[in-house]
Amino acid sequence: MVSLRFSIGQTVTPPNTIEIVPYQSKYAREVSELFHICVHNIKHERYPPPLLDAWSQAPRSAKHWHLRLSRSQAWIILVTDATSFTKICVGFINVETDFHHRGDIDSLYIHPDWQRQGLGELAYCHLESWARLQGYSSLSVDASYLSKGLFTKMGFTQVQRSYQQKLGQVLPSFYMIKKC
């Protein structure tokens, strides 16, 4: 264990470091597993088990995620463990770039063990900064019940309710927009 000594008898473990890096194919398997873990760790009355199973029956192939993230602008959130110095993929975010001067946020997932620590906000701020540099006039998202609060906090406004049908289940969401 790496420790720093500040005064007699006091030891402090250095904090984990957080990086947001552009997506690379080497992260595809981790993203696939992370997505599935995130979905199946949802504990919310609006997301019963059959709905979670429709959302993610099993981890999708690395190829699926690589193709999906390669067609967009995507970033991976890495945490370097302070004791082992290993980098762990704890989240990802991506924005579809096929729309003229408007980006549609496709995914934002943070591992359950790392949620509520500001990583979603950090990832979003990174994406928004990139979008402004690209000259995007607005960003949109279909936010879940779980992410709606984050996007509201970040300045998004709900336009309408939206729904996606998958394997006989209806996944509700909120279509939201923010001007850049």
Side-chain angles (χ1 to χ4, degrees):
M1 173 184 246
V2 176
S3 299
L4 301 174
R5 201 168 276 288
F6 286 97
S7 63
I8 299 173
Q10 180 186 17
T11 54
V12 176
T13 302
N16 297 321
T17 58
I18 299 166
E19 296 175 79
I20 299 178
V21 299
Y23 167 77
Q24 296 173 32
S25 61
K26 68 182 179 181
Y27 298 116
R29 172 64 44 213
E30 289 176 86
V31 165
S32 174
E33 292 170 10
L34 176 67
F35 172 80
H36 186 70
I37 288 167
C38 288
V39 168
H40 283 277
N41 275 276
I42 293 172
K43 306 293 185 241
H44 191 280
E45 67 275 0
R46 302 259 187 187
Y47 297 103
L51 186 64
L52 298 178
D53 288 338
W55 197 344
S56 179
Q57 288 183 304
R60 301 283 304 260
S61 70
K63 181 178 179 180
H64 164 84
W65 279 102
H66 176 66
L67 291 173
R68 182 172 172 175
L69 296 179
S70 294
R71 290 189 299 248
S72 63
Q73 184 65 41
W75 296 271
I76 304 298
I77 304 161
L78 298 174
V79 173
T80 303
D81 182 69
T83 55
S84 68
F85 298 107
T86 57
K87 293 186 183 213
I88 306 161
C89 176
V90 298
F92 67 98
I93 189 169
N94 74 307
V95 60
E96 299 289 333
T97 57
D98 295 338
F99 309 102
H100 185 66
H101 296 293
R102 181 179 66 82
D104 184 47
I105 299 170
D106 178 51
S107 302
L108 171 56
Y109 290 91
I110 307 294
H111 190 283
D113 293 344
W114 291 90
Q115 291 175 4
R116 305 221 179 271
Q117 297 182 40
L119 296 180
E121 187 174 336
L122 185 67
Y124 170 75
C125 288
H126 188 86
L127 181 149
E128 183 180 307
S129 177
W130 175 87
R132 285 185 178 168
L133 287 171
Q134 303 306 308
Y136 281 46
S137 60
S138 65
L139 292 168
S140 63
V141 65
D142 276 309
S144 68
Y145 280 102
L146 302 173
S147 65
K148 183 182 180 197
L150 170 68
F151 287 109
T152 299
K153 178 182 176 184
M154 302 313 297
F156 281 76
T157 304
Q158 181 181 332
V159 175
Q160 65 188 30
R161 294 284 308 266
S162 56
Y163 304 90
Q164 178 184 17
Q165 187 169 358
K166 200 168 186 182
L167 300 175
Q169 296 290 319
V170 176
L171 288 96
S173 58
F174 304 90
Y175 182 68
M176 304 177 81
I177 291 182
K178 177 182 181 180
K179 302 280 185 217
C180 288

